[in-house]
Amino acid sequence: MVSLLGGIFMGWALGANDASNVFGTAVGARMMKFWTAAILAAFFVLLGSVISGQAGIETLQGLTTFELSQAVIASVAAALAVSIMTLAGWPVSTSQAVVGAIIGVGIMNHQLNISGLGKVAACWFTTPIGGALIAFALYKVCAFFYNRVKMSLFTSDRLMKIGFVIFGSYGAYALGANNVANVTAVFVGAGKLTVFQAALIGGASIALGILTFSRHVMETVGNKLVKLDPFSALMVSISLGLTIHIYTLIGVPVSSSQAIIGGLLGIGIIKGTNTVSRATLRGIFLAWFLTPVIACALALTLFFITHLEYVGP
C-alpha cells in the first residue's frame, strides 16, 4: 500500500491542476460557485475513471514495463513536476509529465517503447488544435440559433447555468475516463494493480486533488487568458468534453489543459486576438515545454539517488 502513495500523489496533483479546467470557465464567468463546481467535478471524474478508464490505462502501461520501484519513481517525479506548475498557477499537461517521467526511467532502465510514445506525443499537438476547431465551430453554429431565439435575460441566465452543470459534468466524466491512466497505469504495468483497481484508486485521488487544491489554476483558466461572456464560456466547456471524449475513444490519455486552452483560443479567434492575453499565453506554452523536461530530469535524479550504493573506505 505504501508503494501506491506515489500514484495517489500523482492523482492529487492531476486533480489540483488539470481537473480545474472542466469548470474553470463557468467559475470565471460567475455562473457557478467554486465549491459547487469542485464537488460535481470530483464525483464525475471518479465515475468516468471507473466506468471508462480502461483503454487509456492499457495504452500507457504499454510504453514500458516497470518494476514496482520504478513505477513509484515515475509517479513521484511526474507529480512533483505538476505540483511545481500548480504552485505557479499554470495549467499543464499531466500526460506530458507522466510520459516525461516514463522516458526518464525508461532511459535508465533501457525499456523505452518508442512506437507507443509516438502515438501519445502526436496527440500533444493535435489536442489544442482540435479543441480550438471544435470550440470555433460550436460557437458559430450555436450562436446562429441562440441569437434568433427571443428569451428574457432571466431565462437565458438559467439555461446557461443548467448547460454548465450538464456539460461540465460531462467534461469531468471524460477527464476521469481519459486521465486516470496518467495516475496508476504504471502500477498496472508493474503488476501491482488490476486495471479496475487502478481506475478506482486513480479516480479517487484525482477527486481529492480537485476538492483540496484546484482553485489557483482555475482562476488562471477562467480569468487570465481570455475574458469570457457566459455563452462563450459554455461553448469552451462543451468543446473540452468533446475533445477529451474523442481521445478517450481512441485510447490515448491527453491533457485537459491543452484541450481547454485550445478551446479558449478558438473563442479568442472569433472575439479578436486582442482579447487574448499574450503574456499569459506565452507563460502557458513555456510551462507546457518545461513540464516533460522537468519530469524527465526529476525521474533521472530520483532513479540515480535510489540506486546509490555505499562503498566503504
Side-chain angles (χ1 to χ4, degrees), residues 173-199:
Y173 181 93
L175 175 70
N178 187 281
N179 272 211
V180 70
N182 295 329
V183 178
T184 45
V186 289
F187 293 96
V188 178
K192 183 69 176 177
L193 296 175
T194 65
V195 172
F196 175 77
Q197 289 171 333

Side-chain angles (χ1 to χ4, degrees), residues 48-280:
S49 300
V50 174
I51 296 176
S52 304
Q54 295 185 4
I57 290 174
E58 290 168 354
T59 295
L60 204 58
Q61 68 159 325
L63 285 179
T64 187
T65 302
F66 284 167
E67 297 174 359
L68 182 57
S69 61
Q70 296 163 347
V72 173
I73 290 172
S75 293
V76 171
L80 286 172
V82 174
S83 297
I84 290 169
M85 294 302 174
T86 300
L87 290 172
W90 297 120
V92 296
S93 166
T94 49
S95 300
Q96 288 181 315
V98 169
V99 172
I102 287 176
I103 290 173
V105 176
I107 290 172
M108 301 298 287
N109 199 35
H110 306 293
Q111 288 186 346
L112 191 61
N113 182 346
I114 299 297
S115 60
L117 176 63
K119 180 182 177 183
V120 175
C123 293
W124 294 349
F125 295 96
T126 58
T127 300
I129 295 172
L133 292 175
I134 291 173
F136 185 91
L138 267 176
Y139 186 95
K140 289 291 186 183
V141 172
C142 294
F144 176 83
F145 294 102
Y146 180 75
N147 292 331
R148 282 161 177 76
V149 176
K150 302 295 182 185
M151 67 178 76
S152 67
L153 187 59
F154 175 78
T155 303
S156 174
D157 186 72
R158 189 171 182 78
L159 283 176
M160 288 293 167
K161 288 180 178 178
I162 293 172
F164 277 118
V165 170
I166 293 173
F167 290 105
S169 300
Y170 165 59
Y173 181 93
L175 175 70
N178 187 281
N179 272 211
V180 70
N182 295 329
V183 178
T184 45
V186 289
F187 293 96
V188 178
K192 183 69 176 177
L193 296 175
T194 65
V195 172
F196 175 77
Q197 289 171 333
L200 181 62
I201 294 173
S205 57
I206 296 171
L208 182 64
I210 297 171
L211 294 172
T212 57
F213 211 68
S214 63
R215 186 188 290 268
H216 191 31
V217 181
M218 191 177 288
E219 289 174 354
T220 298
V221 172
N223 297 317
K224 295 181 180 178
L225 181 60
V226 181
K227 297 298 181 186
L228 296 175
D229 57 81
F231 179 80
S232 301
L234 180 59
M235 295 302 104
V236 173
S237 178
I238 298 173
S239 71
L240 168 70
L242 290 174
T243 304
I244 296 178
H245 197 167
I246 289 169
Y247 282 103
T248 302
L249 295 177
I250 298 172
V252 177
V254 295
S255 168
S256 64
S257 296
Q258 293 177 337
I260 195 77
I261 297 302
L264 287 168
L265 292 178
I267 298 300
I269 291 171
I270 295 173
K271 296 288 187 180
T273 53
N274 59 337
T275 62
V276 179
S277 169
R278 289 188 174 89
T280 302

